[in-house]
Amino acid sequence: MSDEPIYVTQPWLPPLEEFMPYLQQIWHSRILTNRGPFYRQFEQALCDFLQVEHVALCANGTIALSTALHAAGLEGEVITSPYSFPATAHVLANSNLTPVFADIDPMTFCLDAATIEPAITPRTAAIMPVHVYGNTCDTRSIKAVADKGNLRVIYDAAHAFGVQDDAGSVLKHGDFSALSFHATKVFNTFEGGAIVCADRQTKELVDKLNNFGIADETTVVAAGLNGKMDEFKASLGLLQLKHFEQLVSRRKMIDASYREQLGDIPGITLMQRDGRQVSNFSYFPILVEPGYPLDRDSLYEKLKSRGIFSRRYFYPLISNLPMYRNLPSADPANLPVANAISNKVLCLPIYSALSDEQVEKVVGVLKCH
Ligand SMILES: *Cc1c(COP(=O)(O)O)cnc(C)c1O
């Protein structure tokens, strides 16, 4: 058995020779950015693949979220999940919006629709839920709450590439869904992202906001920033897309193998997936409960000592970070489920190049104590 370290994820790259013709075309044309041919092709390919109508490519997932917020033209408070990556709240803070944290659902780890309504105030402008680990939020209930309160909905869909619910792509819900193509995500362009918009007009606005607000050579219509994706990344994305389904099917096998081998360990709870959904198997979180001989952090250290780098994801909770913990909604008493899960969760290695032997090695450490 190899003693190579096992990381929680490993970015997948296509064979370099497959990428060379794309690079040659870029070198030959000297079109490097500003919506070149690969940008347009990748945008169209994503629309087809993700079964959505309007996609705007972005430089990364964070700028995708912040551009969506800018396009929504919000002021005041935004109800969001504390159980996410810090970027979710940071984009609000940087847009002069106040994050208001609501609790999460203990099964899906996504924002619990029932906790949103009590958090609404006259200053509430929008809801920003997160499709955690490729599970889908309760989009129907969120829509009902949003419609009732006349609120915009911006989904952080950084984990939701290719995910479908019983009605098709999960990216169709809400006013915007922001994707991330960061190296650690299930689909990567080194750095990258996209915004799925509800209509053409909004996509056009988003495209302007991502290009300094420029409408044409002499017209600037908004104080937009630079959030464009360049040709290098767009061409890589186009190529990555051809391999995506094959990579997800290997992840699905690893997910099944973990489930089979870890299912009956006392004190280890596996996250259940909704069988009616098409998942991307992007993470494999377990909960380390009091019935297990080690606490979560000791298990994390033990795995590390064997060369297995798991990840406490998401820990610490965003609402416990120094820049947010003094907000009234950040009180742990307001967020009991999120705090409990954040203290128990550990994400195990999962990526398409992970071998069966490596999966067995991870399982072996979890089983023997
Ligand atoms: C990765 C991630 C982001 C940020 O995306 P970047 O492309 O790294 O800027 C935002 N939200 C969530 C939930 C993420 O996992």
Side-chain angles (χ1 to χ4, degrees), residues 288-310:
V288 186
E289 313 276 2
Y292 191 75
L294 300 175
D295 64 23
R296 189 270 312 269
D297 289 349
S298 309
L299 177 57
Y300 166 84
E301 293 297 340
K302 183 178 173 190
L303 285 162
K304 199 158 123 182
S305 73
R306 309 289 158 88
I308 299 163
F309 297 86
S310 61

Side-chain angles (χ1 to χ4, degrees), residues 26 111 171 201 293 314 327:
I26 295 170
L111 198 58
L171 306 171
Q201 238 178 330
F314 300 104
L327 292 169

